[in-house]
C-alpha cells in the first residue's frame, strides 16, 4: 500500500478521535496526518491515496476550514487519486441532512477527478435524507458517535480492512 495522506480538521475532537483510530488500524507508518487547517493544494496532490474526514455541522454544513477549501479543491487535478471518506453525523437530531458534509466533500473530490473508494452499506441507520448516499450506499464510512457509539470501533476496523484492499 502506498503512503496515505489523512486529512481532517484537527480541532474537531470527535473527528480527530476517529482519525487516530483509522491511522492506528491502517498502520501508523503507512499514514501521514495532514491537518486541514494547514493544508495546501500541493498536499492533496502529493499523495496517491487520501483518507479524508469531516463532520457535519448544524443543518448540513461543512465545518470551518473545509468550507473554505472546497472551492479550491474542486479546481485541482486529482485524476488518478483514490480518496476514502469518513464522516460523522447525528441521525436522531439531524435526520434530514445526516452526514451531508461527507456528501459535499465527495462531490468536491469527484469534481476534481478523484476516484472515491471505501463505500459502505447504509443499513443500520435511521434518517430521512443524506447527500452522502450513492445508490443506497454511503460514499465512505459513516460514524454516529451520539446514537451508535458501540458500533464505532467495529465499523472503523471493518472499513480499514476494506481500504487495505482498495488502496493497493
Amino acid at each position: 500500500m502506498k503512503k496515505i495522506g489523512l486529512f481532517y480538521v484537527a480541532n474537531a475532537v470527535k473527528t480527530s478521535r476517529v482519525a487516530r483510530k483509522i491511522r492506528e488500524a491502517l498502520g501508523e507508518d503507512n499514514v501521514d496526518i495532514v491537518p486541514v487547517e494547514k493544508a495546501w493544494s500541493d498536499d492533496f496532490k502529493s499523495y496517491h491515496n487520501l483518507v479524508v474526514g469531516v463532520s457535519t455541522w448544524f443543518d448540513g454544513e461543512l465545518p470551518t476550514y473545509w468550507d473554505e477549501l472546497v472551492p479550491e479543491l474542486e479546481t485541482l487535478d486529482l485524476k488518478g487519486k483514490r480518496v476514502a471518506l469518513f464522516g460523522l453525523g447525528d441521525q436522531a437530531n439531524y435526520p434530514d441532512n445526516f452526514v451531508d458534509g461527507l456528501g459535499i466533500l465527495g462531490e468536491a473530490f469527484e469534481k476534481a477527478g478523484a476516484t472515491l473508494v471505501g463505500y459502505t452499506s447504509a443499513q443500520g441507520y435511521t434518517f430521512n435524507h443524506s447527500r452522502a448516499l450513492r445508490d443506497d450506499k454511503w460514499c465512505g464510512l459513516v460514524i454516529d458517535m451520539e446514537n451508535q457509539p458501540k458500533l464505532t470501533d467495529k465499523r472503523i476496523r471493518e472499513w480499514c480492512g476494506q481500504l487495505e484492499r482498495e488502496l493497493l
Side-chain angles (χ1 to χ4, degrees):
M1 185 167 34
K2 295 179 181 177
K3 194 80 160 183
I4 297 168
L6 176 55
F7 294 79
Y8 62 95
V9 176
N11 67 5
V13 175
K14 292 176 185 173
T15 306
S16 293
R17 189 177 312 143
V18 172
R20 284 191 302 271
K21 289 180 181 205
I22 289 169
R23 183 176 189 224
E24 183 179 312
L26 292 174
E28 293 183 10
D29 292 339
N30 298 324
V31 180
D32 290 336
I33 291 177
V34 184
V36 170
E37 297 91 327
K38 298 176 181 176
W40 296 91
S41 61
D42 290 344
D43 293 318
F44 291 101
K45 293 177 182 179
S46 66
Y47 294 93
H48 180 74
N49 296 321
L50 292 81
V51 174
V52 178
V54 65
S55 57
T56 299
W57 283 11
F58 311 113
D59 294 329
E61 299 171 24
L62 288 172
T64 305
Y65 299 109
W66 275 124
D67 64 344
E68 297 165 6
L69 267 177
V70 164
E72 180 183 354
L73 185 64
E74 292 176 339
T75 68
L76 298 178
D77 179 5
L78 299 179
K79 289 177 184 75
K81 308 286 184 188
R82 292 178 175 264
V83 178
L85 303 167
F86 69 94
L88 284 74
D90 180 340
Q91 61 194 306
N93 290 310
Y94 299 96
D96 295 325
N97 47 32
F98 180 52
V99 294
D100 274 359
L102 181 70
I104 294 167
L105 277 189
E107 292 164 10
F109 278 103
E110 288 171 324
K111 281 182 184 177
T115 300
L116 298 185
V117 298
Y119 284 72
T120 59
S121 173
Q123 291 182 350
Y125 300 88
T126 304
F127 62 98
N128 298 328
H129 182 266
S130 178
R131 288 177 67 177
L133 279 178
R134 306 288 196 291
D135 297 324
D136 296 325
K137 286 194 170 208
W138 298 119
C139 62
L141 172 65
V142 172
I143 300 292
D144 184 345
M145 294 176 88
E146 279 67 44
N147 303 291
Q148 298 177 323
K150 292 181 180 175
L151 297 175
T152 297
D153 288 343
K154 179 181 186 255
R155 286 177 172 158
I156 290 170
R157 188 172 50 254
E158 289 175 356
W159 188 65
C160 288
Q162 178 182 338
L163 292 186
E164 287 176 350
R165 295 183 300 277
E166 294 182 11
L167 295 177
L168 296 175

